[in-house]
Amino acid sequence: MQSKLAAYKPAEQAVTVFNPVSVIICARNEEHNLQRYLPSVLEQNYPDFEVIVVNDCSSDSSDETLRKLSQCYPHLKTVTITEHARFKHGKKFAVTLGIKAAKNEILLFTDADCEPVSPNWIAKMQRNFRDNTEIVLGYSPYRRAKGLLNAIIRYETFITALNYLSFALSGNPYMGVGRNMAYRKSLFFRNKGFAAHMHIPSGDDDLFVNQNANAGNTAVETEEEAFVYSDAKTLYSAYFKQKIRHQGAGKAYRTEHKRILTLQVLSAVFFYIFLVILIILRAQWWVLLGIFLIRFISQLVIYGKALKQLHYKDLVYGLLFLDIIYYFYVLTLGIVSVFKKKVQWK
């Protein structure tokens, strides 16, 4: 399945149709990120688009920042949500208000801490809406920085992208990432938005795709000009909290997708455990080497091409080490998430 992305070559096609696009960003206490990154969204090289920022109960100076930006960019629209003493809401409520405020059929989503790699981001994502296409899945890598945590986060992001893009290319889409994805407004309202999973704090992106995407209505965009970058977490505790929140959405995936993803993790974990057992039992070296090389060479062939395509080539040098950490980390997250019930968006 993962070989689909490694073998995929995006068709070189010019943008010939410029459908009106509404970019939607939900922000809570993102004053500095709005100052830093929002101009790169507002200054996209695209003839017809609006940018809607949902200022979700911010207690910083986000409102003032947005007011100043709107004076320079008339296509910036702000939706403000004020804190209610008794009513507490998650991100899905903010996203829904942003969608209701959008005037265009094509909705493009990203986050306040994200920066498009080029001024052609909107054009590249929008060009995929042809025929029956209702969902377009993009890619959103993290910037490279020093430290082990950064490498782990980027490797996890790579594996996630390798999976959801390969699944989609195979005709079995199961998730998308809200930092860079698009869908039609009519699809959202036709399927009653997030009603089926409003009780789950996360999942405004992956659960929506999981429940509404199929082989006929989903496309992918992997060209570099359509990438959206952001900075990775710098604290292990913050990263762990973020992933626990995401784990909650995964429990609501379709049974087929949960089974495949669980088998993927367990097969990798059991492989490494089996290898350790053989070492303890002092198996012959050529047996150990043979078993190890079969998996590692397969990874190098498939992952190497995909890492190059997704501009994470540097990770190939730590592939073995990162792979071991990743799968045992995911296993730990799955166990912890069973006992941790309460999560929230920021």
Side-chain angles (χ1 to χ4, degrees):
M1 185 78 75
Q2 292 177 328
S3 61
K4 285 290 184 179
L5 178 62
Y8 178 64
K9 293 184 178 180
E12 294 185 6
Q13 54 181 1
V15 181
T16 56
V17 178
F18 295 91
N19 297 304
V21 175
S22 294
V23 180
I24 298 177
I25 300 171
C26 295
R28 178 177 291 180
N29 295 325
E30 298 279 8
E31 174 191 357
H32 298 297
N33 284 328
L34 291 171
Q35 292 172 354
R36 182 178 179 184
Y37 300 122
L38 189 54
S40 65
V41 176
L42 292 163
E43 295 170 7
Q44 286 287 298
N45 182 24
Y46 198 76
D48 189 358
F49 74 104
E50 64 175 355
V51 177
I52 300 170
V53 176
V54 182
N55 185 15
D56 187 9
C57 304
S58 296
S59 57
D60 60 6
S61 299
S62 293
D63 55 345
E64 183 179 349
T65 297
L66 291 168
R67 190 160 49 247
K68 290 179 179 178
L69 286 170
S70 64
Q71 294 173 357
C72 302
Y73 302 98
H75 54 299
L76 171 62
K77 182 189 297 183
T78 301
V79 176
T80 301
I81 305 176
T82 55
E83 190 74 60
H84 192 283
R86 288 181 293 179
F87 175 65
K88 302 296 180 182
H89 64 270
K91 187 178 179 181
K92 291 173 186 174
F93 179 73
V95 174
T96 301
L97 290 187
I99 292 174
K100 288 183 176 181
K103 66 179 182 181
N104 299 317
E105 166 69 358
I106 294 178
L107 310 174
L108 178 56
F109 298 86
T110 190
D111 288 341
D113 61 348
C114 294
E115 181 180 26
V117 75
S118 82
N120 298 316
W121 167 58
I122 295 178
K124 295 295 184 180
M125 290 293 288
Q126 179 275 155
R127 69 178 178 175
N128 293 280
F129 282 96
R130 304 183 304 273
D131 302 324
N132 298 321
T133 305
E134 294 184 295
I135 299 173
V136 177
L137 306 178
Y139 175 54
S140 50
Y142 287 105
R143 294 184 183 89
R144 183 180 179 181
K146 294 180 180 179
L148 176 61
L149 179 59
N150 180 265
I152 293 173
I153 291 175
R154 290 192 300 124
Y155 187 76
E156 184 268 333
T157 302
F158 162 71
I159 294 295
T160 300
L162 180 64
N163 280 336
Y164 78 77
L165 293 173
S166 293
F167 271 63
L169 290 169
S170 301
N172 189 18
Y174 77 94
M175 71 161 286
V177 176
R179 299 193 302 276
N180 192 10
M181 61 180 283
Y183 51 78
R184 294 186 181 274
K185 186 176 183 178
S186 57
L187 174 70
F188 181 83
F189 287 111
R190 188 172 71 246
N191 292 286
K192 299 181 181 179
F194 305 126
H197 49 86
M198 186 64 82
H199 61 289
I200 301 175
S202 58
D204 57 282
D205 46 9
D206 55 345
L207 281 183
F208 182 83
V209 173
N210 192 262
Q211 296 186 359
N212 295 287
N214 57 58
N217 75 348
T218 305
V220 302
E221 177 55 69
T222 61
E223 191 168 324
E224 184 182 7
E225 283 192 297
F227 288 5
V228 173
Y229 276 90
S230 58
D231 293 322
K233 300 291 186 183
T234 56
L235 297 175
Y236 283 92
S237 58
Y239 176 57
F240 192 80
K241 181 179 179 180
Q242 180 189 59
K243 300 316 296 181
I244 285 292
R245 187 172 69 247
H246 293 166
Q247 285 287 119
K251 297 175 184 178
Y253 283 6
R254 295 177 186 175
T255 302
E256 173 195 1
H257 298 141
K258 287 193 291 186
R259 182 175 64 250
I260 294 174
L261 294 171
T262 300
L263 286 174
Q264 182 187 81
V265 173
L266 292 179
S267 64
V269 170
F270 286 142
F271 169 81
Y272 289 120
I273 292 176
F274 178 64
L275 206 60
V276 171
I277 291 174
L278 288 179
I279 293 173
I280 294 174
L281 296 177
R282 298 182 180 180
Q284 295 183 332
W285 68 267
W286 56 268
V287 174
L288 293 171
L289 183 62
I291 294 173
F292 168 75
L293 286 179
I294 290 174
R295 175 180 169 84
F296 188 61
I297 292 175
S298 299
Q299 282 185 307
L300 281 178
V301 173
I302 296 174
Y303 286 17
K305 292 180 180 179
L307 283 166
K308 182 178 180 180
Q309 188 169 346
L310 299 181
H311 295 263
Y312 267 4
K313 291 188 295 183
D314 64 290
L315 294 180
V316 74
Y317 300 109
L319 181 60
L320 175 61
F321 180 63
L322 292 171
D323 196 63
I324 295 173
I325 291 178
Y326 168 75
Y327 281 109
F328 281 94
Y329 186 69
V330 170
L331 181 64
T332 302
L333 280 173
I335 295 172
V336 173
S337 65
V338 172
F339 301 98
K340 192 174 181 63
K341 303 298 182 182
K342 189 175 181 180
V343 294
Q344 61 183 13
W345 179 52
K346 296 190 178 182

